[in-house]
Each structure stands twice: as C-alpha cells, then as structure tokens.
PDB file of all heavy atoms in Angstrom:
ATOM      1  N   TYR A   1       6.634  13.694 -70.168  1.00 96.00           N
ATOM      2  CA  TYR A   1       6.118  14.198 -71.454  1.00 96.00           C
ATOM      3  C   TYR A   1       6.687  15.572 -71.755  1.00 96.00           C
ATOM      4  O   TYR A   1       6.819  16.407 -70.844  1.00 96.00           O
ATOM      5  CB  TYR A   1       4.601  14.266 -71.446  1.00 96.00           C
ATOM      6  CG  TYR A   1       3.891  12.935 -71.592  1.00 96.00           C
ATOM      7  CD1 TYR A   1       3.227  12.397 -70.480  1.00 96.00           C
ATOM      8  CD2 TYR A   1       3.872  12.265 -72.767  1.00 96.00           C
ATOM      9  CE1 TYR A   1       2.547  11.160 -70.588  1.00 96.00           C
ATOM     10  CE2 TYR A   1       3.205  11.069 -72.912  1.00 96.00           C
ATOM     11  CZ  TYR A   1       2.541  10.516 -71.824  1.00 96.00           C
ATOM     12  OH  TYR A   1       1.894   9.301 -71.948  1.00 96.00           O
ATOM     13  N   LEU A   2       7.021  15.814 -73.001  1.00 97.00           N
ATOM     14  CA  LEU A   2       7.526  17.124 -73.456  1.00 97.00           C
ATOM     15  C   LEU A   2       6.821  17.490 -74.782  1.00 97.00           C
ATOM     16  O   LEU A   2       6.548  16.628 -75.616  1.00 97.00           O
ATOM     17  CB  LEU A   2       9.024  17.106 -73.664  1.00 97.00           C
ATOM     18  CG  LEU A   2       9.913  16.875 -72.421  1.00 97.00           C
ATOM     19  CD1 LEU A   2      11.380  16.689 -72.873  1.00 97.00           C
ATOM     20  CD2 LEU A   2       9.807  18.046 -71.457  1.00 97.00           C
ATOM     21  N   ILE A   3       6.577  18.785 -74.971  1.00 97.00           N
ATOM     22  CA  ILE A   3       6.060  19.276 -76.221  1.00 97.00           C
ATOM     23  C   ILE A   3       7.207  19.331 -77.267  1.00 97.00           C
ATOM     24  O   ILE A   3       8.221  19.961 -76.974  1.00 97.00           O
ATOM     25  CB  ILE A   3       5.449  20.698 -76.060  1.00 97.00           C
ATOM     26  CG1 ILE A   3       4.222  20.611 -75.091  1.00 97.00           C
ATOM     27  CG2 ILE A   3       5.018  21.264 -77.400  1.00 97.00           C
ATOM     28  CD1 ILE A   3       3.722  21.958 -74.654  1.00 97.00           C
ATOM     29  N   ASN A   4       7.010  18.646 -78.341  1.00 96.00           N
ATOM     30  CA  ASN A   4       8.076  18.619 -79.371  1.00 96.00           C
ATOM     31  C   ASN A   4       8.046  19.909 -80.168  1.00 96.00           C
ATOM     32  O   ASN A   4       7.164  20.134 -80.980  1.00 96.00           O
ATOM     33  CB  ASN A   4       7.838  17.409 -80.286  1.00 96.00           C
ATOM     34  CG  ASN A   4       8.957  17.227 -81.278  1.00 96.00           C
ATOM     35  OD1 ASN A   4       9.807  18.132 -81.479  1.00 96.00           O
ATOM     36  ND2 ASN A   4       8.994  16.083 -81.950  1.00 96.00           N
ATOM     37  N   ASN A   5       9.050  20.748 -79.946  1.00 93.00           N
ATOM     38  CA  ASN A   5       9.164  22.015 -80.726  1.00 93.00           C
ATOM     39  C   ASN A   5      10.367  21.969 -81.637  1.00 93.00           C
ATOM     40  O   ASN A   5      10.831  22.989 -82.093  1.00 93.00           O
ATOM     41  CB  ASN A   5       9.224  23.203 -79.780  1.00 93.00           C
ATOM     42  CG  ASN A   5      10.462  23.192 -78.866  1.00 93.00           C
ATOM     43  OD1 ASN A   5      10.967  22.116 -78.531  1.00 93.00           O
ATOM     44  ND2 ASN A   5      10.935  24.356 -78.464  1.00 93.00           N
ATOM     45  N   ASN A   6      10.878  20.756 -81.927  1.00 87.00           N
ATOM     46  CA  ASN A   6      11.925  20.546 -82.920  1.00 87.00           C
ATOM     47  C   ASN A   6      11.265  20.427 -84.320  1.00 87.00           C
ATOM     48  O   ASN A   6      10.036  20.389 -84.440  1.00 87.00           O
ATOM     49  CB  ASN A   6      12.742  19.296 -82.667  1.00 87.00           C
ATOM     50  CG  ASN A   6      13.582  19.450 -81.378  1.00 87.00           C
ATOM     51  OD1 ASN A   6      14.153  20.511 -81.124  1.00 87.00           O
ATOM     52  ND2 ASN A   6      13.691  18.387 -80.626  1.00 87.00           N
ATOM     53  N   ASN A   7      12.066  20.285 -85.334  1.00 85.00           N
ATOM     54  CA  ASN A   7      11.501  20.015 -86.656  1.00 85.00           C
ATOM     55  C   ASN A   7      10.919  18.589 -86.684  1.00 85.00           C
ATOM     56  O   ASN A   7      11.591  17.631 -86.258  1.00 85.00           O
ATOM     57  CB  ASN A   7      12.605  20.115 -87.721  1.00 85.00           C
ATOM     58  CG  ASN A   7      13.088  21.556 -87.888  1.00 85.00           C
ATOM     59  OD1 ASN A   7      12.295  22.481 -87.761  1.00 85.00           O
ATOM     60  ND2 ASN A   7      14.354  21.734 -88.164  1.00 85.00           N
ATOM     61  N   TYR A   8       9.692  18.466 -87.186  1.00 90.00           N
ATOM     62  CA  TYR A   8       9.057  17.159 -87.235  1.00 90.00           C
ATOM     63  C   TYR A   8       9.627  16.349 -88.426  1.00 90.00           C
ATOM     64  O   TYR A   8      10.019  16.886 -89.450  1.00 90.00           O
ATOM     65  CB  TYR A   8       7.556  17.311 -87.447  1.00 90.00           C
ATOM     66  CG  TYR A   8       6.812  17.988 -86.323  1.00 90.00           C
ATOM     67  CD1 TYR A   8       5.619  18.659 -86.584  1.00 90.00           C
ATOM     68  CD2 TYR A   8       7.296  17.943 -85.034  1.00 90.00           C
ATOM     69  CE1 TYR A   8       4.914  19.278 -85.583  1.00 90.00           C
ATOM     70  CE2 TYR A   8       6.601  18.577 -84.011  1.00 90.00           C
ATOM     71  CZ  TYR A   8       5.393  19.239 -84.281  1.00 90.00           C
ATOM     72  OH  TYR A   8       4.705  19.841 -83.283  1.00 90.00           O
ATOM     73  N   SER A   9       9.642  15.017 -88.238  1.00 91.00           N
ATOM     74  CA  SER A   9       9.992  14.139 -89.353  1.00 91.00           C
ATOM     75  C   SER A   9       8.860  14.187 -90.381  1.00 91.00           C
ATOM     76  O   SER A   9       7.751  14.598 -90.086  1.00 91.00           O
ATOM     77  CB  SER A   9      10.161  12.712 -88.842  1.00 91.00           C
ATOM     78  OG  SER A   9       8.950  12.172 -88.394  1.00 91.00           O
ATOM     79  N   ASP A  10       9.145  13.722 -91.586  1.00 95.00           N
ATOM     80  CA  ASP A  10       8.116  13.667 -92.636  1.00 95.00           C
ATOM     81  C   ASP A  10       6.968  12.777 -92.234  1.00 95.00           C
ATOM     82  O   ASP A  10       5.807  13.062 -92.561  1.00 95.00           O
ATOM     83  CB  ASP A  10       8.741  13.174 -93.922  1.00 95.00           C
ATOM     84  CG  ASP A  10       9.674  14.207 -94.587  1.00 95.00           C
ATOM     85  OD1 ASP A  10       9.568  15.400 -94.222  1.00 95.00           O
ATOM     86  OD2 ASP A  10      10.501  13.790 -95.451  1.00 95.00           O
ATOM     87  N   GLU A  11       7.301  11.700 -91.488  1.00 95.00           N
ATOM     88  CA  GLU A  11       6.246  10.794 -91.061  1.00 95.00           C
ATOM     89  C   GLU A  11       5.294  11.457 -90.086  1.00 95.00           C
ATOM     90  O   GLU A  11       4.061  11.324 -90.180  1.00 95.00           O
ATOM     91  CB  GLU A  11       6.877   9.576 -90.373  1.00 95.00           C
ATOM     92  CG  GLU A  11       5.854   8.489 -90.013  1.00 95.00           C
ATOM     93  CD  GLU A  11       6.492   7.259 -89.427  1.00 95.00           C
ATOM     94  OE1 GLU A  11       7.711   7.330 -89.039  1.00 95.00           O
ATOM     95  OE2 GLU A  11       5.827   6.243 -89.280  1.00 95.00           O
ATOM     96  N   VAL A  12       5.890  12.247 -89.141  1.00 95.00           N
ATOM     97  CA  VAL A  12       5.035  12.971 -88.198  1.00 95.00           C
ATOM     98  C   VAL A  12       4.224  14.061 -88.884  1.00 95.00           C
ATOM     99  O   VAL A  12       3.028  14.249 -88.596  1.00 95.00           O
ATOM    100  CB  VAL A  12       5.902  13.569 -87.041  1.00 95.00           C
ATOM    101  CG1 VAL A  12       5.081  14.539 -86.200  1.00 95.00           C
ATOM    102  CG2 VAL A  12       6.496  12.458 -86.174  1.00 95.00           C
ATOM    103  N   LYS A  13       4.834  14.781 -89.795  1.00 95.00           N
ATOM    104  CA  LYS A  13       4.130  15.803 -90.563  1.00 95.00           C
ATOM    105  C   LYS A  13       2.953  15.204 -91.295  1.00 95.00           C
ATOM    106  O   LYS A  13       1.848  15.779 -91.281  1.00 95.00           O
ATOM    107  CB  LYS A  13       5.070  16.478 -91.547  1.00 95.00           C
ATOM    108  CG  LYS A  13       6.073  17.402 -90.943  1.00 95.00           C
ATOM    109  CD  LYS A  13       7.009  17.976 -92.020  1.00 95.00           C
ATOM    110  CE  LYS A  13       8.118  18.843 -91.418  1.00 95.00           C
ATOM    111  NZ  LYS A  13       9.061  19.343 -92.451  1.00 95.00           N
ATOM    112  N   GLY A  14       3.164  14.081 -91.952  1.00 96.00           N
ATOM    113  CA  GLY A  14       2.080  13.413 -92.649  1.00 96.00           C
ATOM    114  C   GLY A  14       0.965  12.973 -91.711  1.00 96.00           C
ATOM    115  O   GLY A  14      -0.231  13.043 -92.063  1.00 96.00           O
ATOM    116  N   PHE A  15       1.350  12.476 -90.538  1.00 95.00           N
ATOM    117  CA  PHE A  15       0.376  12.012 -89.563  1.00 95.00           C
ATOM    118  C   PHE A  15      -0.472  13.181 -89.084  1.00 95.00           C
ATOM    119  O   PHE A  15      -1.699  13.064 -89.015  1.00 95.00           O
ATOM    120  CB  PHE A  15       1.109  11.395 -88.369  1.00 95.00           C
ATOM    121  CG  PHE A  15       0.235  10.924 -87.268  1.00 95.00           C
ATOM    122  CD1 PHE A  15      -0.458   9.722 -87.365  1.00 95.00           C
ATOM    123  CD2 PHE A  15       0.054  11.703 -86.135  1.00 95.00           C
ATOM    124  CE1 PHE A  15      -1.298   9.296 -86.330  1.00 95.00           C
ATOM    125  CE2 PHE A  15      -0.804  11.278 -85.093  1.00 95.00           C
ATOM    126  CZ  PHE A  15      -1.435  10.072 -85.205  1.00 95.00           C
ATOM    127  N   ILE A  16       0.160  14.324 -88.771  1.00 96.00           N
ATOM    128  CA  ILE A  16      -0.575  15.490 -88.318  1.00 96.00           C
ATOM    129  C   ILE A  16      -1.511  16.020 -89.406  1.00 96.00           C
ATOM    130  O   ILE A  16      -2.669  16.363 -89.148  1.00 96.00           O
ATOM    131  CB  ILE A  16       0.373  16.603 -87.869  1.00 96.00           C
ATOM    132  CG1 ILE A  16       1.162  16.120 -86.626  1.00 96.00           C
ATOM    133  CG2 ILE A  16      -0.384  17.905 -87.533  1.00 96.00           C
ATOM    134  CD1 ILE A  16       2.224  17.084 -86.144  1.00 96.00           C
ATOM    135  N   LYS A  17      -1.009  16.024 -90.638  1.00 95.00           N
ATOM    136  CA  LYS A  17      -1.826  16.523 -91.751  1.00 95.00           C
ATOM    137  C   LYS A  17      -3.076  15.674 -91.966  1.00 95.00           C
ATOM    138  O   LYS A  17      -4.192  16.168 -92.131  1.00 95.00           O
ATOM    139  CB  LYS A  17      -1.012  16.532 -93.084  1.00 95.00           C
ATOM    140  CG  LYS A  17      -1.751  17.086 -94.282  1.00 95.00           C
ATOM    141  CD  LYS A  17      -0.791  17.178 -95.466  1.00 95.00           C
ATOM    142  CE  LYS A  17      -1.471  17.872 -96.682  1.00 95.00           C
ATOM    143  NZ  LYS A  17      -2.619  17.103 -97.165  1.00 95.00           N
ATOM    144  N   ALA A  18      -2.904  14.348 -91.859  1.00 95.00           N
ATOM    145  CA  ALA A  18      -4.042  13.416 -92.012  1.00 95.00           C
ATOM    146  C   ALA A  18      -5.039  13.633 -90.860  1.00 95.00           C
ATOM    147  O   ALA A  18      -6.264  13.630 -91.100  1.00 95.00           O
ATOM    148  CB  ALA A  18      -3.536  11.990 -92.040  1.00 95.00           C
ATOM    149  N   ALA A  19      -4.513  13.802 -89.664  1.00 95.00           N
ATOM    150  CA  ALA A  19      -5.405  14.037 -88.500  1.00 95.00           C
ATOM    151  C   ALA A  19      -6.166  15.358 -88.652  1.00 95.00           C
ATOM    152  O   ALA A  19      -7.366  15.440 -88.388  1.00 95.00           O
ATOM    153  CB  ALA A  19      -4.610  14.063 -87.224  1.00 95.00           C
ATOM    154  N   ASP A  20      -5.454  16.410 -89.086  1.00 95.00           N
ATOM    155  CA  ASP A  20      -6.088  17.710 -89.308  1.00 95.00           C
ATOM    156  C   ASP A  20      -7.284  17.633 -90.257  1.00 95.00           C
ATOM    157  O   ASP A  20      -8.281  18.325 -90.099  1.00 95.00           O
ATOM    158  CB  ASP A  20      -5.075  18.718 -89.856  1.00 95.00           C
ATOM    159  CG  ASP A  20      -4.113  19.237 -88.791  1.00 95.00           C
ATOM    160  OD1 ASP A  20      -4.319  18.967 -87.609  1.00 95.00           O
ATOM    161  OD2 ASP A  20      -3.142  19.927 -89.184  1.00 95.00           O
ATOM    162  N   GLU A  21      -7.117  16.786 -91.283  1.00 94.00           N
ATOM    163  CA  GLU A  21      -8.126  16.696 -92.338  1.00 94.00           C
ATOM    164  C   GLU A  21      -9.264  15.722 -91.997  1.00 94.00           C
ATOM    165  O   GLU A  21     -10.220  15.645 -92.749  1.00 94.00           O
ATOM    166  CB  GLU A  21      -7.446  16.302 -93.636  1.00 94.00           C
ATOM    167  CG  GLU A  21      -6.484  17.362 -94.183  1.00 94.00           C
ATOM    168  CD  GLU A  21      -5.701  16.870 -95.373  1.00 94.00           C
ATOM    169  OE1 GLU A  21      -5.763  15.681 -95.711  1.00 94.00           O
ATOM    170  OE2 GLU A  21      -4.950  17.688 -95.979  1.00 94.00           O
ATOM    171  N   SER A  22      -9.108  15.046 -90.897  1.00 93.00           N
ATOM    172  CA  SER A  22     -10.134  14.055 -90.543  1.00 93.00           C
ATOM    173  C   SER A  22     -11.430  14.764 -90.088  1.00 93.00           C
ATOM    174  O   SER A  22     -11.405  15.930 -89.643  1.00 93.00           O
ATOM    175  CB  SER A  22      -9.676  13.140 -89.375  1.00 93.00           C
ATOM    176  OG  SER A  22      -9.568  13.871 -88.187  1.00 93.00           O
ATOM    177  N   LYS A  23     -12.545  14.114 -90.271  1.00 92.00           N
ATOM    178  CA  LYS A  23     -13.849  14.713 -89.987  1.00 92.00           C
ATOM    179  C   LYS A  23     -13.942  15.160 -88.508  1.00 92.00           C
ATOM    180  O   LYS A  23     -14.420  16.278 -88.219  1.00 92.00           O
ATOM    181  CB  LYS A  23     -14.969  13.719 -90.270  1.00 92.00           C
ATOM    182  CG  LYS A  23     -16.359  14.247 -89.990  1.00 92.00           C
ATOM    183  CD  LYS A  23     -17.405  13.181 -90.250  1.00 92.00           C
ATOM    184  CE  LYS A  23     -18.783  13.677 -89.878  1.00 92.00           C
ATOM    185  NZ  LYS A  23     -19.843  12.621 -90.117  1.00 92.00           N
ATOM    186  N   ASP A  24     -13.461  14.335 -87.579  1.00 91.00           N
ATOM    187  CA  ASP A  24     -13.578  14.679 -86.150  1.00 91.00           C
ATOM    188  C   ASP A  24     -12.821  15.907 -85.800  1.00 91.00           C
ATOM    189  O   ASP A  24     -13.276  16.805 -85.075  1.00 91.00           O
ATOM    190  CB  ASP A  24     -13.053  13.495 -85.307  1.00 91.00           C
ATOM    191  CG  ASP A  24     -13.997  12.267 -85.431  1.00 91.00           C
ATOM    192  OD1 ASP A  24     -15.082  12.439 -85.975  1.00 91.00           O
ATOM    193  OD2 ASP A  24     -13.609  11.203 -84.976  1.00 91.00           O
ATOM    194  N   ILE A  25     -11.542  16.018 -86.277  1.00 93.00           N
ATOM    195  CA  ILE A  25     -10.735  17.184 -85.950  1.00 93.00           C
ATOM    196  C   ILE A  25     -11.227  18.415 -86.671  1.00 93.00           C
ATOM    197  O   ILE A  25     -11.203  19.531 -86.114  1.00 93.00           O
ATOM    198  CB  ILE A  25      -9.246  16.902 -86.280  1.00 93.00           C
ATOM    199  CG1 ILE A  25      -8.747  15.696 -85.482  1.00 93.00           C
ATOM    200  CG2 ILE A  25      -8.423  18.147 -85.966  1.00 93.00           C
ATOM    201  CD1 ILE A  25      -8.891  15.803 -83.990  1.00 93.00           C
ATOM    202  N   GLN A  26     -11.731  18.256 -87.880  1.00 94.00           N
ATOM    203  CA  GLN A  26     -12.280  19.397 -88.603  1.00 94.00           C
ATOM    204  C   GLN A  26     -13.472  19.995 -87.842  1.00 94.00           C
ATOM    205  O   GLN A  26     -13.681  21.216 -87.877  1.00 94.00           O
ATOM    206  CB  GLN A  26     -12.737  18.965 -90.010  1.00 94.00           C
ATOM    207  CG  GLN A  26     -11.605  18.863 -91.031  1.00 94.00           C
ATOM    208  CD  GLN A  26     -10.981  20.218 -91.303  1.00 94.00           C
ATOM    209  OE1 GLN A  26     -11.675  21.157 -91.603  1.00 94.00           O
ATOM    210  NE2 GLN A  26      -9.644  20.277 -91.179  1.00 94.00           N
ATOM    211  N   GLU A  27     -14.185  19.132 -87.121  1.00 93.00           N
ATOM    212  CA  GLU A  27     -15.291  19.656 -86.324  1.00 93.00           C
ATOM    213  C   GLU A  27     -14.786  20.531 -85.193  1.00 93.00           C
ATOM    214  O   GLU A  27     -15.373  21.551 -84.836  1.00 93.00           O
ATOM    215  CB  GLU A  27     -16.137  18.504 -85.750  1.00 93.00           C
ATOM    216  CG  GLU A  27     -17.319  19.019 -84.946  1.00 93.00           C
ATOM    217  CD  GLU A  27     -18.455  18.006 -84.818  1.00 93.00           C
ATOM    218  OE1 GLU A  27     -18.394  16.979 -85.496  1.00 93.00           O
ATOM    219  OE2 GLU A  27     -19.396  18.291 -84.056  1.00 93.00           O
ATOM    220  N   LEU A  28     -13.644  20.151 -84.601  1.00 93.00           N
ATOM    221  CA  LEU A  28     -13.034  20.986 -83.574  1.00 93.00           C
ATOM    222  C   LEU A  28     -12.680  22.347 -84.145  1.00 93.00           C
ATOM    223  O   LEU A  28     -12.962  23.398 -83.549  1.00 93.00           O
ATOM    224  CB  LEU A  28     -11.755  20.340 -83.033  1.00 93.00           C
ATOM    225  CG  LEU A  28     -11.887  19.239 -81.991  1.00 93.00           C
ATOM    226  CD1 LEU A  28     -10.482  18.759 -81.577  1.00 93.00           C
ATOM    227  CD2 LEU A  28     -12.619  19.724 -80.730  1.00 93.00           C
ATOM    228  N   PHE A  29     -12.024  22.358 -85.294  1.00 95.00           N
ATOM    229  CA  PHE A  29     -11.658  23.625 -85.954  1.00 95.00           C
ATOM    230  C   PHE A  29     -12.889  24.458 -86.264  1.00 95.00           C
ATOM    231  O   PHE A  29     -12.887  25.691 -86.119  1.00 95.00           O
ATOM    232  CB  PHE A  29     -10.840  23.385 -87.209  1.00 95.00           C
ATOM    233  CG  PHE A  29      -9.466  22.912 -86.949  1.00 95.00           C
ATOM    234  CD1 PHE A  29      -9.025  21.694 -87.519  1.00 95.00           C
ATOM    235  CD2 PHE A  29      -8.565  23.613 -86.223  1.00 95.00           C
ATOM    236  CE1 PHE A  29      -7.738  21.196 -87.293  1.00 95.00           C
ATOM    237  CE2 PHE A  29      -7.253  23.174 -85.985  1.00 95.00           C
ATOM    238  CZ  PHE A  29      -6.828  21.977 -86.518  1.00 95.00           C
ATOM    239  N   SER A  30     -13.970  23.789 -86.683  1.00 95.00           N
ATOM    240  CA  SER A  30     -15.186  24.512 -87.000  1.00 95.00           C
ATOM    241  C   SER A  30     -15.777  25.197 -85.800  1.00 95.00           C
ATOM    242  O   SER A  30     -16.302  26.328 -85.853  1.00 95.00           O
ATOM    243  CB  SER A  30     -16.236  23.574 -87.620  1.00 95.00           C
ATOM    244  OG  SER A  30     -15.783  23.058 -88.894  1.00 95.00           O
ATOM    245  N   ILE A  31     -15.741  24.498 -84.677  1.00 95.00           N
ATOM    246  CA  ILE A  31     -16.265  25.062 -83.441  1.00 95.00           C
ATOM    247  C   ILE A  31     -15.507  26.349 -83.053  1.00 95.00           C
ATOM    248  O   ILE A  31     -16.084  27.350 -82.644  1.00 95.00           O
ATOM    249  CB  ILE A  31     -16.223  24.020 -82.293  1.00 95.00           C
ATOM    250  CG1 ILE A  31     -17.272  22.917 -82.515  1.00 95.00           C
ATOM    251  CG2 ILE A  31     -16.465  24.715 -80.938  1.00 95.00           C
ATOM    252  CD1 ILE A  31     -17.128  21.784 -81.562  1.00 95.00           C
ATOM    253  N   VAL A  32     -14.204  26.264 -83.187  1.00 95.00           N
ATOM    254  CA  VAL A  32     -13.351  27.445 -82.897  1.00 95.00           C
ATOM    255  C   VAL A  32     -13.657  28.591 -83.817  1.00 95.00           C
ATOM    256  O   VAL A  32     -13.791  29.726 -83.431  1.00 95.00           O
ATOM    257  CB  VAL A  32     -11.862  27.054 -82.934  1.00 95.00           C
ATOM    258  CG1 VAL A  32     -10.973  28.321 -82.771  1.00 95.00           C
ATOM    259  CG2 VAL A  32     -11.525  26.068 -81.860  1.00 95.00           C
ATOM    260  N   LYS A  33     -13.750  28.261 -85.109  1.00 95.00           N
ATOM    261  CA  LYS A  33     -14.041  29.316 -86.137  1.00 95.00           C
ATOM    262  C   LYS A  33     -15.397  29.957 -85.918  1.00 95.00           C
ATOM    263  O   LYS A  33     -15.534  31.189 -85.960  1.00 95.00           O
ATOM    264  CB  LYS A  33     -13.991  28.667 -87.536  1.00 95.00           C
ATOM    265  CG  LYS A  33     -14.222  29.682 -88.669  1.00 95.00           C
ATOM    266  CD  LYS A  33     -14.145  28.987 -90.018  1.00 95.00           C
ATOM    267  CE  LYS A  33     -14.392  29.985 -91.154  1.00 95.00           C
ATOM    268  NZ  LYS A  33     -14.340  29.343 -92.478  1.00 95.00           N
ATOM    269  N   GLU A  34     -16.424  29.119 -85.591  1.00 96.00           N
ATOM    270  CA  GLU A  34     -17.749  29.661 -85.354  1.00 96.00           C
ATOM    271  C   GLU A  34     -17.759  30.552 -84.133  1.00 96.00           C
ATOM    272  O   GLU A  34     -18.457  31.588 -84.103  1.00 96.00           O
ATOM    273  CB  GLU A  34     -18.735  28.542 -85.182  1.00 96.00           C
ATOM    274  CG  GLU A  34     -19.060  27.772 -86.464  1.00 96.00           C
ATOM    275  CD  GLU A  34     -19.818  26.482 -86.262  1.00 96.00           C
ATOM    276  OE1 GLU A  34     -20.223  26.227 -85.073  1.00 96.00           O
ATOM    277  OE2 GLU A  34     -19.947  25.730 -87.232  1.00 96.00           O
ATOM    278  N   ASP A  35     -17.020  30.188 -83.094  1.00 96.00           N
ATOM    279  CA  ASP A  35     -16.939  30.998 -81.900  1.00 96.00           C
ATOM    280  C   ASP A  35     -16.316  32.334 -82.203  1.00 96.00           C
ATOM    281  O   ASP A  35     -16.772  33.391 -81.715  1.00 96.00           O
ATOM    282  CB  ASP A  35     -16.166  30.292 -80.797  1.00 96.00           C
ATOM    283  CG  ASP A  35     -16.028  31.100 -79.531  1.00 96.00           C
ATOM    284  OD1 ASP A  35     -16.975  31.144 -78.755  1.00 96.00           O
ATOM    285  OD2 ASP A  35     -14.967  31.758 -79.354  1.00 96.00           O
ATOM    286  N   ASN A  36     -15.237  32.343 -82.995  1.00 94.00           N
ATOM    287  CA  ASN A  36     -14.605  33.594 -83.399  1.00 94.00           C
ATOM    288  C   ASN A  36     -15.522  34.495 -84.169  1.00 94.00           C
ATOM    289  O   ASN A  36     -15.579  35.707 -83.999  1.00 94.00           O
ATOM    290  CB  ASN A  36     -13.310  33.290 -84.192  1.00 94.00           C
ATOM    291  CG  ASN A  36     -12.128  32.999 -83.307  1.00 94.00           C
ATOM    292  OD1 ASN A  36     -11.205  33.792 -83.213  1.00 94.00           O
ATOM    293  ND2 ASN A  36     -12.110  31.854 -82.648  1.00 94.00           N
ATOM    294  N   GLU A  37     -16.271  33.903 -85.103  1.00 95.00           N
ATOM    295  CA  GLU A  37     -17.224  34.673 -85.892  1.00 95.00           C
ATOM    296  C   GLU A  37     -18.313  35.250 -85.015  1.00 95.00           C
ATOM    297  O   GLU A  37     -18.746  36.396 -85.237  1.00 95.00           O
ATOM    298  CB  GLU A  37     -17.826  33.771 -86.991  1.00 95.00           C
ATOM    299  CG  GLU A  37     -16.801  33.404 -88.054  1.00 95.00           C
ATOM    300  CD  GLU A  37     -17.365  32.396 -89.051  1.00 95.00           C
ATOM    301  OE1 GLU A  37     -18.413  31.768 -88.753  1.00 95.00           O
ATOM    302  OE2 GLU A  37     -16.713  32.163 -90.090  1.00 95.00           O
ATOM    303  N   LYS A  38     -18.739  34.515 -84.009  1.00 96.00           N
ATOM    304  CA  LYS A  38     -19.778  34.976 -83.072  1.00 96.00           C
ATOM    305  C   LYS A  38     -19.237  36.155 -82.253  1.00 96.00           C
ATOM    306  O   LYS A  38     -19.901  37.163 -82.078  1.00 96.00           O
ATOM    307  CB  LYS A  38     -20.176  33.835 -82.144  1.00 96.00           C
ATOM    308  CG  LYS A  38     -21.282  34.183 -81.148  1.00 96.00           C
ATOM    309  CD  LYS A  38     -21.707  32.943 -80.409  1.00 96.00           C
ATOM    310  CE  LYS A  38     -22.885  33.243 -79.464  1.00 96.00           C
ATOM    311  NZ  LYS A  38     -22.480  34.034 -78.312  1.00 96.00           N
ATOM    312  N   CYS A  39     -17.971  36.056 -81.818  1.00 96.00           N
ATOM    313  CA  CYS A  39     -17.357  37.151 -81.045  1.00 96.00           C
ATOM    314  C   CYS A  39     -17.209  38.401 -81.911  1.00 96.00           C
ATOM    315  O   CYS A  39     -17.445  39.515 -81.466  1.00 96.00           O
ATOM    316  CB  CYS A  39     -16.008  36.729 -80.523  1.00 96.00           C
ATOM    317  SG  CYS A  39     -16.041  35.522 -79.177  1.00 96.00           S
ATOM    318  N   LEU A  40     -16.850  38.190 -83.196  1.00 95.00           N
ATOM    319  CA  LEU A  40     -16.740  39.329 -84.098  1.00 95.00           C
ATOM    320  C   LEU A  40     -18.068  40.067 -84.281  1.00 95.00           C
ATOM    321  O   LEU A  40     -18.150  41.254 -84.367  1.00 95.00           O
ATOM    322  CB  LEU A  40     -16.171  38.880 -85.446  1.00 95.00           C
ATOM    323  CG  LEU A  40     -14.685  38.688 -85.566  1.00 95.00           C
ATOM    324  CD1 LEU A  40     -14.330  38.024 -86.904  1.00 95.00           C
ATOM    325  CD2 LEU A  40     -13.924  39.999 -85.376  1.00 95.00           C
ATOM    326  N   ALA A  41     -19.147  39.276 -84.335  1.00 96.00           N
ATOM    327  CA  ALA A  41     -20.469  39.812 -84.576  1.00 96.00           C
ATOM    328  C   ALA A  41     -21.053  40.491 -83.343  1.00 96.00           C
ATOM    329  O   ALA A  41     -21.771  41.471 -83.446  1.00 96.00           O
ATOM    330  CB  ALA A  41     -21.406  38.704 -85.060  1.00 96.00           C
ATOM    331  N   GLU A  42     -20.676  39.993 -82.154  1.00 96.00           N
ATOM    332  CA  GLU A  42     -21.341  40.462 -80.929  1.00 96.00           C
ATOM    333  C   GLU A  42     -20.474  41.357 -80.075  1.00 96.00           C
ATOM    334  O   GLU A  42     -21.013  42.066 -79.220  1.00 96.00           O
ATOM    335  CB  GLU A  42     -21.806  39.261 -80.109  1.00 96.00           C
ATOM    336  CG  GLU A  42     -22.840  38.382 -80.822  1.00 96.00           C
ATOM    337  CD  GLU A  42     -23.250  37.173 -79.982  1.00 96.00           C
ATOM    338  OE1 GLU A  42     -22.683  37.013 -78.872  1.00 96.00           O
ATOM    339  OE2 GLU A  42     -24.128  36.422 -80.421  1.00 96.00           O
TER     340      GLU A  42
END
C-alpha cells in the first residue's frame, strides 16, 4: 500500500468529495472541530 500524493483523477476527486459530504464522515469532522474549540476555550 502507498499513499497517493499524485494528482487525483476526476473520478477519485468526485469520490472523495462525496465521501466528505456524507453524514458519517461529517460527524468525524465535527468531532475534530469540537475538540479544537474545546482546546481553544480551555
């Protein structure tokens, strides 16, 4: 396995965008954001 750090194809870009916008992944982003806000406050 290798991390793809080349330019993504349009198909891959679309796939990642759709995944980013999904409810499950958005919850991951929300958890990270809330933790950052907590650290800023405390």
Side-chain angles (χ1 to χ4, degrees):
Y1 284 109
L2 295 172
I3 296 169
N4 185 347
N5 62 332
N6 291 322
N7 292 326
Y8 297 154
S9 67
D10 289 340
E11 186 178 12
V12 169
K13 288 178 182 177
F15 178 80
I16 294 174
K17 184 175 185 295
D20 284 351
E21 293 173 353
S22 70
K23 179 182 176 182
D24 292 349
I25 301 303
Q26 280 295 308
E27 182 158 351
L28 279 181
F29 287 123
S30 294
I31 289 171
V32 173
K33 183 179 179 181
E34 288 168 9
D35 178 81
N36 277 250
E37 290 172 348
K38 183 173 183 289
C39 289
L40 280 172
E42 298 179 357

